[in-house]
Amino acid sequence: MKTSERFYEELLVLAEGLDKGIETTVRDATPQEQVVALMCLKITRHVYGAARLLSLGFYPESIILLRSAYECLVMSKYLSEKPADIARYEAHGVLCNLRNMVEFLSLVDLDSETKNPLEKQIRELKDAFCTNGIQCYPRLQATDLDDFDKIRSASNKALFSHLPNMLAGITWNDDNDWIKNGFELYNIGSQVTHSQMEWLAIGRFGKSEHAIFSKLAIGRYILMFLNDCSETLTELDLSSTARRSTFENQFANSLQLLQKWLAEEQQSTDERLRNQKKGTRN
């Protein structure tokens, strides 16, 4: 078995163990902790899915999932330090959901069995927004929520446009600065997600992997995501210290395999360059 295949096996054990080890907590969590916990759960599931996709050969698709996980990870770090901004981003989420539902309702001819529950959800979203979110939008009035164009205009700024400011507003240290330096992952992930020709172009010119984010690089990111989620879940009492200890041991095994894989890749590259030089001289 290749080192990369052994690494994938260990990665799945690590990811599945983390996902299955999530527990409920008996203590009362603050609203800030609740938000971070929910985002961490989302990140864990995304990264677990990315690990499974990578192991099955769906390498570009794993990058798409990691892009979403990265966006969520940056926001969770930002909101853990800036809890006063939680209400604003929750309001944005409610408004985006409202926009999507209203647009869907206007474009699709639905039967009453489907339409009535959707209209009820729209009313509930409007009420929730007016109660907890409209103060974040000084130019928006309650009556404007009946005007789709005004809803769309107010919610039109996508989340990714906030990421640079979030990255700048987070306090980084040696343990988590890889997140700050991982913004390229988000950029590449966005290309793979939104540009239907981007990956075809890479294959067309004879490259089976992205020049920057190879399978090995994606495997490393998955490891780092899982480790950060494990630490956060333990801090929030959603994963026991015993499970954290088990995770650390498995993480060390996975990291050794990753390093071995990296050494083999470097050796292969060096050998290929030597052969190219020999061919040039001949």
Side-chain angles (χ1 to χ4, degrees):
M1 184 182 292
K2 295 180 180 179
T3 302
S4 58
E5 293 172 343
R6 291 170 57 201
F7 171 72
Y8 292 154
E9 286 188 351
E10 288 293 321
L11 199 61
L12 285 175
V13 170
L14 195 68
E16 187 172 0
L18 178 61
D19 184 57
K20 289 185 175 180
I22 296 173
E23 306 169 353
T24 57
T25 177
V26 295
R27 69 179 177 84
D28 292 331
T30 65
Q32 173 187 352
E33 289 175 327
Q34 291 174 15
V35 169
V36 172
L38 289 171
M39 300 188 88
C40 190
L41 295 178
K42 178 180 179 180
I43 296 163
T44 300
R45 296 292 168 84
H46 275 14
V47 176
Y48 182 18
R52 290 185 64 84
L53 285 171
L54 187 63
S55 70
L56 293 171
F58 295 99
Y59 153 58
E61 290 75 12
S62 69
I63 298 178
I64 294 173
L65 269 182
L66 283 185
R67 167 192 177 271
S68 180
Y70 179 79
E71 181 178 88
C72 194
L73 182 61
V74 170
M75 176 169 269
S76 71
K77 297 297 182 187
Y78 176 82
L79 293 179
S80 67
E81 292 189 27
K82 307 286 193 302
D85 284 351
I86 290 176
R88 178 163 61 93
Y89 283 106
E90 284 184 335
H92 181 75
V94 171
L95 198 60
C96 287
N97 279 335
L98 178 61
R99 178 195 65 201
N100 294 335
M101 287 186 177
V102 170
E103 184 174 23
F104 180 78
L105 190 62
S106 68
L107 296 176
V108 181
D109 186 18
L110 301 174
D111 56 61
S112 58
E113 186 177 351
T114 305
K115 185 177 181 180
N116 291 341
L118 181 59
E119 289 180 332
K120 180 176 181 293
Q121 287 188 346
I122 288 174
R123 290 194 299 271
E124 291 172 346
L125 284 172
K126 287 181 179 179
D127 290 343
F129 183 78
C130 288
T131 302
N132 298 311
I134 199 166
Q135 66 273 15
C136 301
Y137 292 81
R139 296 183 180 180
L140 205 60
Q141 304 296 319
T143 53
D144 294 334
L145 298 182
D146 295 323
D147 187 327
F148 174 72
D149 288 335
K150 291 184 178 180
I151 297 174
R152 181 175 57 185
S153 177
S155 62
N156 208 28
K157 193 171 184 181
L159 176 59
F160 66 81
S161 63
H162 295 251
L163 282 184
N165 290 334
M166 288 186 187
L167 287 167
I170 298 170
T171 303
W172 303 104
N173 54 49
D174 292 340
D175 293 329
N176 64 15
D177 65 355
W178 66 271
I179 302 172
K180 176 182 65 175
N181 298 325
F183 189 60
E184 289 179 353
L185 170 63
Y186 185 80
N187 287 341
I188 298 299
S190 297
Q191 291 173 24
V192 178
T193 301
H194 298 299
S195 175
Q196 307 311 320
M197 298 301 292
E198 194 268 353
W199 209 263
L200 294 177
I202 290 174
R204 181 181 175 87
F205 292 102
K207 297 177 182 177
S208 59
E209 297 183 19
H210 196 283
I212 299 174
F213 289 103
S214 63
K215 294 176 183 177
L216 192 150
I218 292 303
R220 175 181 172 274
Y221 267 107
I222 290 175
L223 266 187
M224 302 303 289
F225 271 103
L226 289 172
N227 187 49
D228 190 88
C229 285
S230 175
E231 288 181 339
T232 303
L233 289 169
T234 304
E235 290 172 359
L236 294 170
D237 293 335
L238 294 173
S239 184
S240 67
T241 53
R243 286 190 179 275
R244 173 60 184 168
S245 179
T246 300
F247 179 93
E248 288 176 333
N249 291 332
Q250 293 172 331
F251 180 85
N253 293 336
S254 299
L255 188 58
Q256 286 181 352
L257 286 171
L258 183 70
Q259 291 170 338
K260 183 179 180 182
W261 184 12
L262 177 60
E264 290 174 354
E265 289 288 313
Q266 187 60 55
Q267 183 178 359
S268 176
T269 299
D270 293 343
E271 184 176 348
R272 185 170 62 252
L273 290 174
R274 286 195 297 269
N275 291 336
Q276 287 177 354
K277 288 181 180 179
K278 288 180 182 178
T280 303
R281 287 197 296 268
N282 293 336

